[in-house]
């Protein structure tokens, strides 16, 4: 992502940037009551979904075009910048005409390159000078997310950022959308200049999860948060369970400790230790793989299959136990062991195929 600019150059906005407001624009009263409370707390960017993508037909789809006028009023009465989701070229044109300051592309749209390209084309045709945030696609596909960001960048939008809103899962989970933090971390590694904003509301899907997720994002160095906030969350017409009252949002924000992203001097010696340990880890892994290949040769000679479930289970259990005693989470250790095991199987299969 070449030559990006800050989202709002010339404005000194508090860091991390907090974008807050209701899931959907429902009524003038709801918008103004929420925006006034947020502005009184010192917040500077107001979000509201004017056009809502709903899973089932018949759900509340946002108030549509009339809400653009409510956004204008929010801006005029509170001085806040305004933000909304766009999913079609018509949305883009209407939002820009109404003076919306920040557009975001939703997770269902960023998963669809045709739809994202149509938005990019509209932005380019209108020579739009607007900030745009691209939510991660609903499915866990970093390349698709990057592709959507590139389409918008190529349309001439340099005030560009990403929103991490978690990834869809089928079945029961603690989260509405799995955070899979490694994906936004990899995005940041590849495009360090790109602001990444976390959406704890849509990751958690529940009011009580917003605070721990927001704290984790800020502690990790995310550039901002987008949090759903409604003057009467229990009466909200969409995403009622995850919206906070302005007071609750105030308490969440008070818990956050801003991180100084620029200051990294003291980290150098620690980073050198990490590099040295990583290098040892790779040496040890390569020794482990050599032993795996020897086992592979033995299995080959004795016509045994590569996969031995009972052995895998035993290795997992004893390693998990040791890791737990040493303060490594079961979830993290399981992922590491699974990756090591997968590579070991790959090495043994190569022996069986006579490739090694
Ligand atoms: C939203 O921000 O209200 C929204 C619809 O989000 P997402 O696209 O992440 O589901
Ligand atoms: Mn929502």
């Amino acid at each position: 992502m070449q030559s990006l600019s800050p989202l709002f150059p010339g404005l000194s906005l508090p860091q991390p940037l907090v974008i807050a407001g209701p899931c959907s624009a429902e009524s003038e009263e709801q918008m103004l009551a929420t925006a006034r409370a947020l502005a009184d707390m010192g917040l500077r960017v107001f979000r509201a979904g004017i056009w809502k993508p709903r899973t089932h037909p018949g759900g509340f789809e946002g108030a549509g075009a009339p809400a653009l006028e409510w956004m204008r009023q929010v801006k005029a009465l509170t001085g806040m910048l305004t933000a909304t989701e766009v999913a079609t070229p018509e949305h883009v044109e209407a939002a820009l005409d109404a003076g919306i300051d920040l557009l975001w592309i939703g997770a269902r749209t960023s998963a669809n390159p045709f739809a994202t390209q149509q938005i990019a084309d509209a932005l380019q045709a209108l020579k739009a000078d607007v900030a745009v945030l691209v939510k991660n696609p609903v499915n866990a596909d970093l390349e698709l997310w990057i592709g959507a960001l590139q389409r918008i960048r190529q349309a001439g939008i340099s005030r560009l950022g990403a929103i991490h809103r978690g990834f869809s899962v089928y079945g029961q989970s603690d989260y509405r959308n799995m955070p899979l933090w490694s994906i936004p971390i990899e995005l940041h590694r590849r495009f360090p200049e790109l602001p990444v904003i976390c959406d704890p509301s849509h990751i958690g899907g529940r009011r009580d999860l917003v605070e721990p997720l927001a704290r984790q994002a800020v502690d990790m160095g995310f550039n901002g948060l987008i949090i759903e906030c409604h003057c009467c969350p229990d009466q909200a017409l969409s995403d009622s369970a995850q919206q906070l009252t302005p007071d609750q949002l105030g308490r969440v924000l008070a818990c956050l400790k801003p991180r100084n992203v620029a200051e990294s001097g003291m980290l150098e010696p620690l980073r050198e230790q990490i590099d040295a340990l990583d290098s040892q880890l790779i040496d040890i892994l390569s020794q482990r793989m050599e032993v795996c290949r020897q086992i592979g040769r033995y299995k080959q000679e004795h016509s045994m299959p590569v996969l031995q479930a009972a052995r895998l289970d035993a290795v997992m259990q004893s390693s998990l136990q040791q890791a737990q005693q040493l303060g490594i989470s079961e979830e993290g250790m399981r992922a590491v062991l699974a990756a090591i095991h997968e590579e070991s199987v790959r090495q043994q299969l190569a022996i069986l195929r006579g490739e090694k």
Side-chain angles (χ1 to χ4, degrees):
M1 232 74 60
Q2 294 300 307
S3 61
L4 295 171
S5 313
L7 292 176
F8 297 106
L11 290 184
S12 72
L13 298 177
Q15 297 297 319
L17 179 68
V18 178
I19 303 168
C23 177
S24 321
E26 299 170 5
S27 70
E28 186 178 332
E29 299 70 41
Q30 169 242 14
M31 295 269 279
L32 289 178
T34 309
R36 282 202 173 99
L38 295 173
D40 287 349
M41 289 160 49
L43 295 185
R44 304 285 308 278
V45 191
F46 180 79
R47 65 150 282 158
I50 291 177
W51 301 280
K52 300 298 300 176
R54 302 318 303 272
T55 302
H56 296 287
F60 178 65
E61 294 183 328
L68 291 165
E69 179 51 33
W70 309 335
M71 286 292 227
R72 272 205 204 93
Q73 289 185 38
V74 164
K75 203 165 166 168
L77 296 173
T78 68
M80 292 177 90
L81 300 167
T82 50
T84 200
E85 172 171 347
V86 288
T88 67
E90 293 75 26
H91 295 165
V92 171
E93 190 168 356
L96 291 175
D97 276 352
I100 303 280
D101 304 283
L102 185 158
L103 308 178
W104 81 79
I105 296 179
R108 291 157 194 79
T109 309
S110 67
N112 177 347
F114 287 131
T116 306
Q117 190 59 50
Q118 285 187 348
I119 293 173
D121 292 345
L123 289 164
Q124 188 161 29
L126 295 164
K127 297 191 173 42
D129 178 13
V130 67
V132 179
L133 299 177
V134 180
K135 286 199 168 199
N136 65 258
V138 277
N139 50 323
D141 185 338
L142 176 61
E143 292 307 323
L144 196 55
W145 194 4
I146 292 174
L149 286 155
Q150 286 168 333
R151 288 175 198 279
I152 302 301
R153 179 68 196 95
Q154 283 172 9
I157 299 293
S158 62
R159 295 194 285 133
L160 182 64
I163 299 177
H164 168 230
R165 51 77 81 194
F167 301 89
S168 203
V169 269
Y170 182 68
Q172 285 291 328
S173 150
D174 287 345
Y175 300 102
R176 179 175 175 191
N177 292 292
M178 291 297 282
L180 306 183
W181 295 102
S182 61
I183 295 180
I185 290 170
E186 175 62 10
L187 179 72
H188 176 62
R189 191 188 67 78
R190 290 188 32 196
F191 304 100
E193 302 305 317
L194 182 78
V196 185
I197 287 174
C198 179
D199 177 344
S201 307
H202 288 91
I203 295 176
R206 281 187 357 222
R207 225 158 273 165
D208 60 310
L209 289 178
V210 173
E211 187 210 305
L213 287 164
R215 187 139 30 100
Q216 185 168 350
V218 171
D219 288 348
M220 286 167 78
F222 275 67
N223 304 90
L225 298 167
I226 177 164
I227 301 185
E228 287 190 341
C229 181
H230 191 293
C231 52
C232 313
D234 292 335
Q235 271 128 53
L237 300 178
S238 61
D239 287 352
S240 165
Q242 71 194 31
Q243 303 209 53
L244 304 179
T245 63
D247 278 355
Q248 288 167 335
L249 176 63
R251 284 196 286 278
V252 169
L253 298 180
C255 292
L256 306 178
K257 294 193 188 67
R259 300 282 154 185
N260 187 351
V261 182
E263 171 57 58
S264 65
M266 290 297 292
L267 291 181
E268 273 323 302
L270 293 171
R271 286 186 171 150
E272 279 165 22
Q273 279 185 48
I274 289 282
D275 292 348
L277 288 166
D278 281 352
S279 157
Q280 286 178 39
L281 266 176
I282 294 168
D283 276 346
I284 290 176
L285 280 173
S286 100
Q287 290 171 34
R288 189 190 196 279
M289 293 308 156
E290 174 48 34
V291 176
C292 284
R293 286 192 291 274
Q294 288 176 26
I295 293 177
R297 279 179 214 114
Y298 182 89
K299 287 179 181 167
Q300 161 83 319
E301 282 157 19
H302 296 81
S303 304
M304 291 168 72
V306 165
L307 290 178
Q308 313 264 317
R311 167 73 187 146
L312 170 61
D313 206 43
V315 169
M316 273 272 184
Q317 287 317 320
S318 74
S319 303
L320 286 175
Q321 217 167 19
Q322 185 192 358
Q324 201 181 13
Q325 280 158 8
L326 296 173
I328 303 175
S329 76
E330 184 178 331
E331 189 192 3
M333 200 60 223
R334 248 184 217 289
V336 170
L337 291 171
I340 294 176
H341 180 254
E342 203 179 313
E343 177 60 17
S344 305
V345 168
R346 209 175 286 132
Q347 299 269 340
Q348 292 195 12
L349 285 173
I351 299 276
L352 257 61
R353 288 194 296 258
E355 290 166 13
K356 298 231 173 183

